[in-house]
Amino acid sequence: MIDRELVEVLPIFQGLDAPALDRLLTHAVQRNYAKGAAVFQQGEDATHFFLLLRGRLKVLQVTADGQQFIVRVVNPGDLFGVAMAIGRTQYPGTPVAAVDSIALAWPMTMMHDILQRSPTLAINTMQMIGQRLDAAHERLREMSTHDVEGRVAHAVIRLAREAGVISGAEIRIDFPVSRQDIAEMTGTTLHTVSRILSHWETKGLVKGGRQLLVITDLPGLRRLAGEEND
């Protein structure tokens, strides 16, 4: 059974009336993914598109020379696997569950008809894809205009914004994040990230352990990222 309470509060469905949501959900299948499971593989034919209800996914891409990058984190309420909407017939990356996760899936062949029947949903989908493209452009700017420490600071700040849980003066990332993950988010090496985070720990900016990341001084990280005046 699809948990309607989880679904109807999501931003993608804002403004959608109950009958329209009911029609949409009749074609959806709820799928559960254990931590570490892949939803689909990079390069596979895009047969379905998805909406994450609960959990977190890390979207991995492998380059032609074998380098692996984390291109984005999928958060609850995010659409993913929408290959047809960006003119692709194959999935460009591999979403892997960072924690036990739940998603809804629809056949890709229905995407055009679903959006055509619901202008509200089409607008919300367009806005979500636009936000994703804007975030991708922001990351490209970071890669070209910031040094490695600045890129790592931006990545950690983004994690805090998207998946941070406030506890007193600290912000804990609510899913396991390793130093290798941060290296793959920022296009650098594990050694470099380890050195930067160890230095930050001595300065009281962050603390953590194995796959644990806690921000203890967000304003300090924002200064490193050049965001102090934002």
Side-chain angles (χ1 to χ4, degrees):
M1 285 288 293
I2 295 172
D3 189 336
R4 190 184 175 93
E5 289 187 2
L6 273 180
V7 172
E8 60 190 6
V9 298
L10 297 176
I12 190 70
F13 298 129
Q14 284 185 357
L16 205 64
D17 60 36
L21 181 58
D22 288 338
R23 286 194 300 272
L24 182 63
L25 294 181
T26 60
H27 300 290
V29 175
Q30 182 170 303
R31 295 182 178 178
N32 299 333
Y33 300 95
K35 178 181 176 181
V39 181
F40 49 76
Q41 296 289 336
Q42 177 178 339
E44 284 184 353
D45 289 342
T47 58
H48 290 78
F49 66 99
F50 302 81
L51 176 72
L52 187 65
L53 293 184
R54 181 178 291 165
R56 307 277 177 184
L57 308 175
K58 296 180 289 189
V59 181
L60 312 178
Q61 279 188 353
V62 179
T63 63
D65 60 358
Q67 293 187 70
Q68 180 171 284
F69 295 91
I70 296 176
V71 295
R72 65 181 288 242
V73 173
V74 180
N75 301 300
D78 285 353
L79 287 169
F80 65 100
V82 288
M84 190 178 78
I86 56 174
R88 290 176 177 264
T89 59
Q90 297 177 324
Y91 295 120
T94 302
V96 175
V99 293
D100 291 348
S101 300
I102 302 173
L104 295 182
W106 289 268
M108 189 71 75
T109 52
M110 294 188 64
M111 189 173 194
H112 182 270
D113 185 60
I114 287 171
L115 297 180
Q116 190 174 48
R117 287 174 177 270
S118 176
T120 298
L121 183 62
I123 291 170
N124 292 348
T125 300
M126 229 173 14
Q127 290 176 339
M128 183 172 287
I129 293 173
Q131 290 166 359
R132 187 183 306 173
L133 289 173
D134 188 55
H137 292 157
E138 181 180 340
R139 289 187 63 182
L140 285 174
R141 287 193 297 271
E142 291 168 9
M143 295 289 284
S144 61
T145 61
H146 289 79
D147 60 15
V148 175
E149 187 174 36
R151 298 204 306 268
V152 174
H154 274 290
V156 172
I157 291 167
R158 188 176 299 111
L159 287 170
R161 184 172 62 244
E162 296 179 353
V165 176
I166 297 174
S167 177
E170 299 179 343
I171 303 172
R172 175 179 55 83
I173 306 306
D174 76 351
F175 67 95
V177 179
S178 68
R179 295 185 173 191
Q180 181 63 41
D181 289 337
I182 295 174
E184 292 177 5
M185 290 175 186
T186 54
T188 188
T189 65
L190 173 59
H191 173 76
T192 299
V193 169
S194 295
R195 176 176 53 79
I196 289 170
L197 292 184
S198 296
H199 177 59
W200 287 359
E201 287 180 3
T202 64
K203 295 177 66 176
L205 297 174
V206 300
K207 65 181 183 181
R210 187 175 180 272
Q211 297 199 332
L212 173 69
L213 181 60
V214 179
I215 295 95
T216 51
D217 184 0
L218 183 60
L221 286 181
R222 296 189 70 202
R223 285 192 291 272
L224 285 176
E227 296 184 0
E228 62 270 22
N229 296 318
D230 289 1

